[in-house]
């Protein structure tokens, strides 16, 4: 939650009012991990937003689905 709030504040100019979410992912033998995600309407939007995140020093992976 703390990391989410920090990222939300740091990237507020890029997010344009959209909210980041935390998703739990079970990776089997690697255990349960949590990912911070930004739901988008399309893969194109995800790719553009991810490029903006990277330009601001934040790791990002655009996914479809």
């Amino acid at each position: 939650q703390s990391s989410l709030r920090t990222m939300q504040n740091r990237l507020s100019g890029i997010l344009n009012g959209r909210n980041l979410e935390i998703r739990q992912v079970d990776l089997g033998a690697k255990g349960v991990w949590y990912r911070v995600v930004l739901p988008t309407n399309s893969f194109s939007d995800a790719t553009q937003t991810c490029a903006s995140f990277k330009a601001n020093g934040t790791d990002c992976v655009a996914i479809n689905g």
Side-chain angles (χ1 to χ4, degrees):
Q1 291 289 346
S2 175
S3 294
L4 178 101
R5 282 191 301 275
T6 298
M7 286 183 70
Q8 189 82 39
N9 290 333
R10 180 175 172 214
L11 300 170
S12 62
I14 298 170
L15 295 173
N16 296 323
R18 297 178 291 177
N19 291 315
L20 298 171
E21 298 176 1
I22 297 175
R23 293 204 182 142
Q24 180 178 321
V25 181
D26 187 345
L27 299 177
K30 291 184 178 182
V32 175
W33 289 70
Y34 297 88
R35 296 178 179 160
V36 175
V37 298
L38 175 64
T40 60
N41 293 324
S42 68
F43 184 65
S44 176
D45 186 30
T47 302
Q48 291 175 340
T49 302
C50 194
S52 296
F53 282 9
K54 288 179 178 181
N56 282 281
T58 300
D59 289 333
C60 182
V61 176
I63 59 171
N64 191 16

